[in-house]
Amino acid sequence: MIKASLQNDQIKLGRELNAEEELTVLSREMKQRRDSLVEFQKANREDLVQKVEEEIAIVEKYLPAQLTDEEIRQIVKQAIQKVGATSSAAFGQVMGVVMPQVKGKADGNLVNETVKEELNNL
């Protein structure tokens, strides 16, 4: 399924994908699987949970090493200082600085939550 996604994006663009574009496809595939996993767990579909967990393990092999929670928090704190954020109103600005740094290395939902926490603690 990953190979098909990579080929589909390549066809859409009409050229070979560069490393960043491949990473984007892999990240999208991982997100889809994580979302599916949550839904299957809620529905008590253990047969599908196991299948998706196996797929996640395969996709993880191709992604860069994931950042720890503390590494993400440090990047978020640096971004808050960089943009001079003083309230949660700067959420978009902070995310704009953080996301390029963590692309493919952290789950977007985790980053989102961390930014919200740090901005609420100001």
Side-chain angles (χ1 to χ4, degrees):
M1 291 181 354
I2 294 169
K3 186 176 180 182
S5 291
L6 289 166
Q7 289 174 337
N8 285 339
D9 276 29
Q10 184 176 337
I11 290 168
K12 285 179 194 173
L13 295 173
R15 61 176 170 74
E16 295 289 322
L17 300 177
N18 62 37
E20 186 175 326
E21 292 164 336
E22 289 174 351
L23 182 59
T24 299
V25 172
L26 288 171
S27 296
R28 182 177 64 225
E29 290 295 316
M30 180 61 85
K31 181 179 181 340
Q32 288 174 350
R33 280 162 179 76
R34 285 186 175 143
D35 291 346
S36 295
L37 182 63
V38 169
E39 294 303 316
F40 293 150
Q41 287 171 332
K42 286 180 184 176
N44 292 322
R45 292 293 311 268
E46 290 304 316
D47 55 325
L48 297 175
V49 167
Q50 183 179 358
K51 180 179 181 274
V52 172
E53 285 175 340
E54 291 169 3
E55 290 176 4
I56 287 172
I58 292 169
V59 176
E60 283 177 337
K61 292 179 184 177
Y62 296 97
L63 285 171
Q66 297 295 290
L67 296 170
T68 65
D69 291 349
E70 187 54 38
E71 290 170 325
I72 294 169
R73 194 164 303 280
Q74 283 300 102
I75 291 170
V76 168
K77 287 178 180 180
Q78 291 170 355
I80 288 172
Q81 289 177 344
K82 183 176 181 178
V83 300
T86 58
S87 71
S88 59
F91 177 81
Q93 291 175 309
V94 175
M95 287 295 287
V97 172
V98 171
M99 288 311 289
Q101 295 179 55
V102 301
K103 186 174 185 176
K105 297 184 241 173
D107 177 51
N109 291 331
L110 177 60
V111 173
N112 188 316
E113 290 171 16
T114 305
V115 169
K116 286 179 182 176
E117 285 175 17
E118 290 298 320
L119 287 174
N120 286 336
N121 290 334
L122 293 179

